[in-house]
């Protein structure tokens, strides 16, 4: 309630589920209101309609949006079925003031949102080809079949990540230990996109290991 008009970046995946359960419970207990907040998805699969159960739009509806007092105008998800370049531009336009608080998860390969390791990283919201590891890691939402995980996604870029006023990164499970160690103690490198968080002045990392 301290910042009613918070612009909050919302990750998907298994890690934030408990946090979303707690936010919903806090809302039900009258401790948190989202009526003036702006909540943003960080990424989305290309080609999936918002209603597709595998989409991040439907994930955020299911686990958070529909259980709290967040108006439609505060729900910023990608339209996975739209032209991806238009959807990316629309997301950047809506997010032009930047995140007040950016919640992040981390991929086992060091990705944040869907900024995958590689030769380079991008500043703005963009389309990305998903790595094989990421499609395998996310197969759970597609009946365990990695082949069904879309090949491409849209993601906020590292510009929006580094421009966030505050970042909280959550990592749970031994499988994330190596990525978190590289993020915190490794060389800052596009090979581990999360390592760029070393350059940000206000990052909190919460882990269970
Ligand atoms: C996903 C998302 C990220 C998320 C990460 C970890 O694919 N694009 O935003 O942080 O991978 O997911 P999980 O929490 O399921 O391990």
């Amino acid at each position: 309630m301290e910042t009613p008009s918070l612009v909050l970046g919302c990750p998907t995946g298994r890690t934030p589920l408990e946090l979303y359960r707690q936010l919903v419970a806090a809302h039900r207990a009258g401790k948190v209101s989202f009526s003036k907040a702006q909540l943003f998805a960080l990424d989305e699969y290309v080609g999936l309609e918002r209603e597709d159960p595998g989409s991040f739009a439907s994930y955020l509806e299911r686990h958070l949006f529909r259980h709290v007092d967040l108006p439609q105008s505060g729900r910023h998800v990608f339209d996975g079925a739209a032209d991806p370049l238009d959807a990316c531009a629309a997301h950047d336009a809506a997010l032009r003031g930047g995140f007040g608080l950016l919640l992040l998860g981390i991929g086992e390969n060091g990705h944040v949102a869907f900024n995958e390791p590689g030769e380079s990283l991008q500043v703005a919201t963009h389309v990305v080809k998903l790595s094989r590891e990421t499609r395998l890691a996310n197969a759970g939402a597609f009946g365990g079949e990695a082949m069904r995980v879309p090949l491409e996604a849209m993601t906020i870029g590292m510009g929006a990540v580094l421009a966030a006023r505050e970042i909280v990164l959550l990592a749970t499970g031994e499988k994330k230990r190596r990525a978190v160690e590289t993020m915190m103690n490794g060389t800052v490198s596009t090979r581990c996109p999360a390592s760029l968080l070393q350059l940000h002045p206000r990052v909190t990392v919460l882990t269970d290991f």
Side-chain angles (χ1 to χ4, degrees):
M1 293 276 200
E2 279 172 32
T3 318
S5 53
L6 183 67
V7 179
L8 181 68
C10 300
T12 53
R14 284 141 292 195
T15 312
L17 287 173
E18 181 55 30
L19 172 67
Y20 293 150
R21 273 192 285 274
Q22 290 188 24
L23 282 176
V24 170
H27 169 69
R28 289 188 177 143
K31 294 181 188 154
V32 177
S33 170
F34 293 86
S35 64
K36 296 194 173 74
Q38 302 286 321
L39 270 55
F40 282 81
L42 308 185
D43 42 18
E44 183 59 276
Y45 294 110
V46 169
L48 295 193
E49 305 209 333
R50 287 186 179 138
E51 295 71 31
D52 190 301
S55 76
F56 292 157
S58 77
Y59 169 107
L60 288 171
E61 277 295 329
R62 218 164 40 243
H63 296 294
L64 183 60
F65 293 179
R66 73 162 67 132
H67 305 290
V68 296
D69 58 344
L70 179 69
Q72 284 297 335
S73 59
R75 304 177 188 197
H76 301 278
V77 294
F78 291 85
D79 181 356
D83 175 87
L85 294 182
D86 289 348
C88 289
H91 212 65
D92 271 344
L95 190 53
R96 62 188 174 278
F99 294 112
L101 174 61
L102 172 59
L103 302 171
L104 287 175
I106 183 169
E108 285 169 51
N109 65 0
H111 73 224
V112 285
F114 265 145
N115 292 277
E116 293 276 46
E119 294 290 323
S120 62
L121 287 166
Q122 293 196 39
V123 171
T125 301
H126 60 284
V127 177
V128 62
K129 184 176 177 313
L130 296 176
S131 68
R132 206 168 59 88
E133 306 100 284
T134 296
R135 292 178 67 229
L136 271 175
N138 287 8
F142 295 87
E145 293 175 55
M147 292 293 286
R148 287 181 50 215
V149 180
L151 292 164
E152 288 185 328
M154 297 172 272
T155 180
I156 59 164
M158 294 309 293
V161 172
L162 294 175
R165 272 180 281 292
E166 181 157 3
I167 297 175
V168 174
L169 184 141
L170 305 171
T172 54
E174 273 303 313
K175 278 161 81 178
K176 299 287 174 72
R177 185 189 284 274
R178 206 164 59 104
V180 170
E181 279 171 5
T182 309
M183 164 180 79
M184 294 179 70
N185 306 319
T187 311
V188 175
S189 158
T190 61
R191 296 279 166 204
C192 175
S195 68
L196 271 81
L197 298 182
Q198 291 179 31
L199 306 175
H200 192 285
R202 294 192 69 186
V203 182
T204 304
V205 178
L206 300 173
T207 72
D208 62 354
F209 46 81

